[in-house]
Amino acid sequence: MTEIISSSDLHLYYGKKEALKGINLTLHKNELTTLIGPSGCGKSTFLRCLNRMNDLIPGVTINGSVLYHGEDIYSPKEDVVNLRKEIGMVFQQPNPFPFSIYENVAFGLRLKGEKNKKVIDEIVEKSLQKAAVWDDVKDKLHQSALGLSGGQQQRVCIARVLAVDPGVILLDEPTSALDPISTGKIEEMLFTLKENYSLVMVTHSMGQASRISDRTAFFLDGHLIEYNETKKIFINPKQKETEDYISGKFG
Ligand SMILES: Nc1ncnc2c1ncn2[C@@H]1O[C@H](COP(=O)(O)OP(=O)(O)OP(=O)(O)O)[C@@H](O)[C@H]1O
Ligand SMILES: [Mg+2]
């Protein structure tokens, strides 16, 4: 059991509104952690704190700390561009760039200054394979990514994150815009990615959380109510609010 990210007494304000009210949460390496809770409870806000995506929103104040491998990512020394490569993000709506499939996945490598075509070819192929979309796209790598189905686009977006060799992948409801078959493929893929990466995923699907995650954190109104191994959360929750939420009484 190794810690990879740890938040301590993390508070976040949008203007005067406190959206995170002191979150203490430690995420583990090579695990998939899911964040659950009703709409507006702060799941996406917390996820965005982990790679400083909230820095981009005007009027945000953040107190407390987030350690990645023991280093405070909010320290003034932090290289935020590098942090976002190390801790990559996948969004609810697939958001490929309006380029070819190949160029989408090569994007981060080109940004890093990689010029060797053979190296780029190899990483593009490997990343698309890991994202379980290689067979779908190998004969049309130079066609626009926008011509793919939503599920294929989402897997290309995951390949784009994998290509820069992150340690952690954040996913905000990555399958909620997709059909059940694409969702199943992505769940299977995320399950295998755990071997080499640490994953944090927001989901509204209790089924999805219990199928593929190791640990589950339940948020309510800016508080972390309960955090434990997924089976314990679903079979024997300690808090009444958790039980009510997972049994569908609210949210
Ligand atoms: N950019 C923003 N500016 C102001 N308030 C915001 C902003 N983003 C989120 N909030 C508020 O912060 C609270 C937490 O929002 P957040 O998006 O983190 O919730 P969530 O748990 O991800 O909800 P959902 O399940 O609907 O995605 C909500 O009250 C929301 O209205
Ligand atoms: Mg959200």
Side-chain angles (χ1 to χ4, degrees):
M1 187 166 92
T2 13
E3 299 183 5
I4 187 152
I5 295 183
S6 188
S7 79
S8 303
D9 198 24
L10 187 69
H11 293 257
L12 182 141
Y13 301 82
Y14 293 109
K16 290 206 173 87
K17 187 197 153 57
E18 189 176 19
L20 296 177
K21 301 173 179 171
I23 306 295
N24 297 297
L25 181 55
T26 295
L27 303 160
H28 298 271
K29 200 163 185 267
N30 299 111
E31 287 194 358
L32 197 165
T33 304
T34 48
L35 312 181
I36 62 168
S39 191
C41 68
K43 305 176 298 294
S44 298
T45 299
F46 180 74
L47 196 71
R48 287 196 301 264
C49 284
L50 304 182
N51 72 348
R52 292 189 54 176
M53 293 285 280
N54 290 314
D55 291 20
L56 308 171
I57 303 173
V60 166
T61 312
I62 300 168
N63 298 321
S65 68
V66 177
L67 305 185
Y68 176 56
H69 287 305
E71 306 270 335
D72 189 354
I73 66 167
Y74 284 93
S75 137
K77 291 192 309 242
E78 183 69 38
D79 173 348
V80 179
V81 172
N82 190 53
L83 176 73
R84 294 194 188 123
K85 276 191 213 125
E86 189 55 42
I87 304 183
M89 185 130 186
V90 176
F91 300 88
Q92 180 171 14
Q93 287 298 332
N95 60 348
F97 302 129
F99 315 147
S100 70
I101 296 160
Y102 181 97
E103 286 305 329
N104 263 276
V105 184
F107 186 79
L109 299 170
R110 298 208 192 281
L111 216 57
K112 274 206 294 203
E114 182 60 64
K115 296 222 164 59
N116 186 328
K117 182 171 180 309
K118 204 163 151 256
V119 170
I120 299 177
D121 284 353
E122 265 172 35
I123 296 177
V124 167
E125 176 171 346
K126 235 177 24 199
S127 305
L128 289 164
Q129 275 171 347
K130 284 191 206 160
V133 69
W134 173 250
D135 289 339
D136 299 43
V137 302
K138 63 177 190 284
D139 300 323
K140 48 180 175 186
L141 290 177
H142 299 287
Q143 292 177 21
S144 171
L146 301 177
L148 298 171
S149 74
Q152 290 168 333
Q153 288 186 14
Q154 193 63 306
R155 283 177 281 147
V156 167
C157 292
I158 294 172
R160 184 173 67 191
V161 168
L162 294 175
V164 294
D165 197 24
V168 178
I169 306 169
L170 310 176
L171 306 115
D172 197 349
E173 303 188 45
T175 63
S176 66
L178 307 178
D179 65 90
I181 292 175
S182 303
T183 296
K185 284 186 186 162
I186 290 184
E187 285 184 7
E188 227 172 89
M189 179 243 297
L190 295 177
F191 195 80
T192 54
L193 287 180
K194 284 195 307 195
E195 282 174 29
N196 298 301
Y197 306 89
S198 308
L199 303 137
V200 189
M201 178 176 72
V202 173
T203 183
H204 278 280
S205 160
M206 298 301 107
Q208 182 164 70
S210 59
R211 275 191 299 276
I212 62 171
S213 74
D214 301 283
R215 272 172 228 269
T216 297
F218 171 58
F219 284 72
L220 187 61
D221 189 26
H223 294 282
L224 173 63
I225 302 294
E226 188 166 352
Y227 174 50
N228 212 331
E229 288 165 32
T230 296
K231 2 183 224 311
K232 292 192 178 145
I233 291 280
F234 283 92
I235 295 168
N236 191 15
K238 292 203 174 78
Q239 304 299 328
K240 170 114 181 25
E241 292 105 316
T242 315
E243 189 176 347
D244 286 351
Y245 180 71
I246 60 176
S247 63
K249 286 200 186 127
F250 68 94

